[in-house]
Each structure stands twice: as structure tokens, then as C-alpha cells.
Amino acid sequence: RSTDADLSMPRQASLPIPFPELPTDQPLIPVRMVNEFVYCPRLAYLEWAQAEWRRNVDTVQGAHVHRRVDQPGGTLPAPDLAAEVGPDLTLRARSIELSSQALGIIARMDLVETSDGRVIPVDYKTGHRKHTMSGAYQPERIQLCAQGLILREHGYTCENGAIYFAGSKERVPVVFDSTLIEETMAAISGLRLIARQQQIPPPLIDSPKCLRCSMAGICLPDETNFVNGRAEEVRPMTVGITDTWPLHVQANYADIRKSGETLEVRVDGNPNVTT
């Protein structure tokens, strides 16, 4: 219980604790994995710690949108030269890869603009501008902020960035304020922690995110939650082809192979041929 004496004493100020320098033998975390961690920790673990990856229509569209910015172009000036660029000139550099050993992250930045002594990272996204107050979802804002922190580590003045939505051709500004920076640092630390623990996070529960996730067939969110008693039912699987029947294999240690027009399902080495 506080007393008058306690209230009269000056309160000790708190300072943020910096990341310890990442050992050189440890892999740097791509900032897009930080985005995935905020979106879904289990997804980030599957992709980063277990190196799992599957494509779907969304990932293919994303690659198509990035086909231009993935081609290197322009030159990012050194920090001292960038500070001399005036407001009437904008220099652009595409597909710039930078890293920070202090933060333990690496990023391939779609576009970096230099103007008025500052640099602005621009991240390209598919789809349309989001109908939110900030114009972009938090995982996207944190990914962009991580790019800004890397630029700062390299000596650049970077106070804000932008997200470009190719679908609506809109550019959403993002200010790197103290709140967003704290959330970004927490996300980097959280992803590093689950990767070091080597324990996969639980799936999201009845989340609409899972319906369009390319990793749903590996993650099995509903099935895992059902087995662990975290869900009462499993949402039915749907297929895009309506003139055929899906095949569900629920046996443990099943091996599925295709031989010509025959699909072979083997359980414990015993073939059960399904045509």
C-alpha cells in the first residue's frame, strides 16, 4: 500500500532495453516474417522456423505485382549525400536489400525514395486500400516500420514510409511514431523467441484469415483445435472443381502417390488403390 512518503519520492524513469547484438552465425529474420508473425504467429513459425511454403492465387498475384519493383533500379545515396538532397528532387531506388545485426532483421525494400534530406521506404501490396482509420492493417504497418528502423541503423533520417496498394493505385502514408516502433520491436522479439523455443504456436480459432491462407493444408487449424479441445467442430473443406469428388485421407502414416491416372494411397506400406 502506498504511503505519503512513497508518493513524495521521485519515480525512477524507465529506458528501453536494446536488443543484444545478434551472433553472426544466427540467420537474420526477413521483415516479411515479422508481418506474418503479427498476422498469425503459427504461420510465421511454419514459414520461418520450419521452412514450409505453399502457393495460392494470392501469393501468385503478389509476385505479379512485385515483378517491377523486384528488378533493381536506381541507387540509394549514402547517408551523408542523402542529407544534401533538396525538397525539389526525389531520387528513387528499387529492390534495395539492407540488414541490421543489432535488430537481427533483413529486408528487401521495394522502393526507397530520397528527398528533402530524408528517405522514405515504399512497400507494394496487392488489393485495395483498407477501410481502416490508418488505411492499412497493423501487420503491414509494422513490416514497413521495420524497414524504417533498418534505414535508421544505416544512418539515414527516416521518419515515415508509405504503402502502395496496386489494386486501387493508392498510396497510404505511415508515420513511424513511438507507439508503432514499440509494437515493431515487440514483434521482432516475439518472433525470435518462438523460433528459439522451437515450439509451434497454436492455430487461430475460427478465424476468417485461415480460409484464404495458402498454408491451411499444412497448418490444419480447425483439425488441430478440434483434437486439442479448442474447437467444437471442423469447418468443411471446399474445392474449386465441382465435377469431381475430393479424397480425404485421415489415416496416420499415409503415403499418397500418383501413377499415371491412378492415385495410390498406402497405409503402413499396404496399398489401397483408388482410381
Side-chain angles (χ1 to χ4, degrees), residues 48-197:
W48 172 239
Q50 296 189 357
E52 298 281 3
W53 173 249
R54 293 293 184 274
R55 295 192 304 169
N56 67 0
V57 63
D58 293 329
T59 62
V60 172
Q61 287 178 349
H64 181 72
V65 167
H66 281 83
R67 69 192 186 282
R68 181 187 176 191
V69 292
D70 282 345
Q71 298 296 322
T75 302
L76 180 64
D80 55 341
L81 297 178
E84 299 177 0
V85 178
D88 298 329
L89 178 64
T90 300
L91 303 178
R92 294 179 174 86
R94 292 186 174 86
S95 191
I96 300 299
E97 184 173 274
L98 292 175
S99 63
S100 168
Q101 203 69 28
L103 297 175
I105 56 177
I106 186 171
R108 181 176 294 275
M109 305 177 193
D110 294 336
L111 176 67
V112 179
E113 296 180 341
T114 304
S115 182
D116 198 17
R118 297 173 173 81
V119 296
I120 299 175
V122 181
D123 202 29
Y124 277 58
K125 299 295 183 184
T126 60
H128 293 67
R129 182 182 188 272
K130 306 304 184 289
H131 297 292
T132 63
M133 290 292 293
S134 60
Y137 292 135
Q138 195 67 356
E140 299 165 337
R141 290 162 47 82
I142 284 179
Q143 178 181 358
L144 185 65
C145 183
Q147 296 180 12
L149 294 179
I150 293 177
L151 288 166
R152 290 186 182 186
E153 284 283 332
H154 283 264
Y156 293 96
T157 299
C158 185
E159 300 174 351
N160 59 281
I163 299 175
Y164 178 77
F165 290 96
S168 56
K169 298 182 179 180
E170 293 181 88
R171 182 165 166 155
V172 176
V174 177
V175 177
F176 302 148
D177 56 24
S178 59
T179 300
L180 183 58
I181 291 175
E182 289 177 3
E183 293 171 345
T184 302
M185 299 289 280
I188 297 171
S189 179
L191 178 52
R192 184 188 295 181
L193 179 62
I194 66 169
R196 185 167 60 245
Q197 290 177 335

Side-chain angles (χ1 to χ4, degrees), residues 33 36-50 190-205 210 218-222 224-225 228 230:
M33 288 294 104
E36 303 284 25
F37 174 78
V38 180
Y39 184 81
C40 173
R42 185 177 175 89
L43 174 62
Y45 186 91
L46 286 170
E47 292 188 359
W48 172 239
Q50 296 189 357
L191 178 52
R192 184 188 295 181
L193 179 62
I194 66 169
R196 185 167 60 245
Q197 290 177 335
Q198 297 185 354
Q199 183 175 358
I200 186 170
L204 303 178
I205 299 177
C210 304
I218 297 175
C219 171
L220 299 175
D222 288 5
T224 303
N225 285 328
N228 294 331
R230 302 175 72 234

